Amino acid sequence: MKITKLLTLVFAFALLFNISCSSDDNVSEEIFYGNGFLLSNEGNFGKPNADITYVSSDLNLKQDNIFSANNGGSNLGDVLQMISFNGDNAYLLLNNSNKIQIVNRSNFKRAGEITAQLNSPRFMAFANNNIYVTNDKYGGDKFVSIYKTSDLSFVKKINFTDTVERIVEAGNNIFVQNASFGFGNKISYITTSNNEVQSTITIPTGNINKMIVNNETVYVIAAGTADSYIYQISNTGSITKTFTLTGVTDATNLEIEKGKFYFTSGLKVYAMDLTATTVPSAPLFTVSNSVDPYSNLYGFSVVNDRIFVSDANGFTQDSKISVYSTNGSLLKTFTAGKGTNGAYWN
């Protein structure tokens, strides 16, 4: 890149950080969105005001509404549930729009979309050259829809009787969390060679709050009556280790970053080594209280040595984002779009 263009981009970003962007701004320079954080702002349910905020790795530069800014002012859609990546593209799953919008992850220009066989999509994962998407319509069908990554064509639907929520890939197999909103204790194991459910994993104690994957291993955090639990599950579907979080109630928001578990209980944020045998006696830090504690810790992500916490502000105002170091020091606060639910490294 020529130094003159680089300086132009730096100057453009400095302006963006100070004055932000509205959804109908025109971008004259093509901006590179790599080596930074993407914040998913789900917006208000029933309104097409979901958007994405870009923040540079040093947290000093910010641009709001980057989808709209790079696609002629178009709205992204209704309820941005999550962002996922595959190759050069970012996949933006829109729950209430029943759409997966695909963009080039470097410049955020449209690269395709999926609309077929989607009904309140929740989460997605990639395996064996396919895209796997959980769909769970309240009071309606529950299924995983499968698409080819090559041409986005529909492959198959796997129906469920239990709820389907988070979905991850480990060892080229797919794991589906059959639990949502703190109810349910099962995980379905799908073999991608034939796209059939091979087995069901039942955790012994607690209700699943979140399932993630790290280094081809699945981890589940679950809440019991007085304690919480983290279960380690192999990529062949066996529970291989249990961590008991003694005295920690309703633990959720499990993340793993550089050999440590991070999770929350109420407004408390905990950090614990993956090799630890006991839970820390004190939290890493406690998020400041508000009128609505749930809104106050709506989004929680640990990405690239940064802990992102979002206050959704009741979905009536832009979210307040607080960024901490992994030792618990507050580094930065700023606002993003409505209902910020996650942060991703691009």
Side-chain angles (χ1 to χ4, degrees):
M1 178 182 291
K2 293 181 179 179
I3 188 65
T4 54
K5 186 172 183 180
L6 177 60
L7 290 172
T8 299
L9 295 182
V10 170
F11 178 71
F13 260 131
L15 288 176
L16 289 166
F17 185 73
N18 285 300
I19 66 174
S20 190
C21 278
S22 64
S23 61
D24 58 356
D25 285 337
N26 292 316
V27 177
S28 57
E29 290 282 351
E30 184 172 294
I31 296 172
F32 174 64
Y33 293 105
N35 300 322
F37 302 98
L38 300 177
L39 306 186
S40 53
N41 308 310
E42 66 183 62
N44 301 104
F45 184 86
K47 297 181 180 179
N49 60 354
D51 62 73
I52 295 170
T53 297
Y54 173 82
V55 181
S56 62
S57 60
D58 61 4
L59 307 177
N60 286 329
L61 305 172
K62 176 177 76 104
Q63 184 188 0
D64 291 308
N65 300 319
I66 65 172
F67 177 85
S68 179
N70 290 280
N71 291 284
S74 298
N75 291 327
L76 175 57
D78 189 351
V79 183
L80 176 59
Q81 183 72 27
M82 68 167 297
I83 302 173
S84 192
F85 304 99
N86 188 51
D88 293 332
N89 292 329
Y91 292 69
L92 319 175
L93 188 149
L94 294 148
N95 169 263
N96 205 37
S97 291
N98 292 316
K99 177 192 294 187
I100 298 173
Q101 183 70 65
I102 304 165
V103 298
N104 179 285
R105 62 192 295 179
S106 295
N107 59 27
F108 252 72
K109 295 186 182 298
R110 283 191 181 97
E113 66 177 27
I114 299 172
T115 58
Q117 299 293 325
L118 293 174
N119 192 4
S120 293
R122 298 291 296 164
F123 293 90
M124 61 184 150
F126 298 86
N128 202 21
N129 299 314
N130 286 329
I131 310 165
Y132 295 79
V133 184
T134 56
N135 296 261
D136 199 327
K137 178 72 172 178
Y138 180 75
D141 294 340
K142 307 172 191 305
F143 60 93
V144 171
S145 49
I146 307 171
Y147 309 85
K148 291 181 181 178
T149 55
S150 57
D151 60 7
L152 308 180
S153 61
F154 175 70
V155 175
K156 183 181 180 180
K157 179 193 291 187
I158 304 174
N159 292 306
F160 287 80
T161 55
D162 292 325
T163 189
V164 290
E165 182 71 356
R166 292 184 180 271
I167 185 168
V168 299
E169 177 273 333
N172 209 32
N173 296 307
I174 288 290
F175 294 78
V176 179
Q177 176 183 316
N178 300 126
S180 63
F181 300 104
F183 296 97
N185 65 345
K186 295 179 181 179
I187 296 167
S188 294
Y189 170 46
I190 296 174
T191 305
T192 61
S193 58
N194 60 9
N195 288 324
E196 298 285 347
V197 176
Q198 177 168 309
S199 62
T200 300
I201 306 155
T202 303
I203 65 166
T205 306
N207 287 298
I208 298 171
N209 276 331
K210 187 180 179 183
M211 176 182 70
I212 64 171
V213 65
N214 181 261
N215 290 332
E216 300 298 321
T217 301
V218 177
Y219 293 87
V220 170
I221 193 162
T225 304
D227 305 323
S228 297
Y229 306 87
I230 297 174
Y231 297 96
Q232 178 179 292
I233 302 171
S234 71
N235 57 34
T236 56
S238 300
I239 297 175
T240 55
K241 192 171 183 179
T242 301
F243 302 83
T244 301
L245 309 178
T246 304
V248 178
T249 59
D250 199 26
T252 188
N253 290 322
L254 181 64
E255 298 275 285
I256 294 177
E257 172 79 355
K258 294 186 177 177
K260 286 183 178 289
F261 291 120
Y262 294 85
F263 55 90
T264 68
S265 172
L267 296 176
K268 296 177 180 179
V269 176
Y270 288 88
M272 184 176 84
D273 289 339
L274 266 65
T275 56
T277 56
T278 58
V279 68
S281 57
L284 184 64
F285 62 89
T286 300
V287 176
S288 60
N289 204 353
S290 70
V291 176
D292 181 2
Y294 178 72
S295 171
N296 197 242
L297 212 166
Y298 186 69
F300 180 84
S301 302
V302 185
V303 188
N304 206 37
D305 293 326
R306 299 288 183 263
I307 302 173
F308 287 79
V309 176
S310 71
D311 181 345
N313 271 327
F315 295 88
T316 59
Q317 305 174 56
D318 286 345
S319 298
K320 175 186 174 183
I321 311 301
S322 300
V323 186
Y324 299 81
S325 70
T326 49
N327 65 14
S329 301
L330 181 63
L331 301 175
K332 191 103 175 180
T333 61
F334 54 89
T335 59
K338 291 181 173 60
T340 305
N341 58 25
Y344 304 82
W345 178 254
N346 187 23

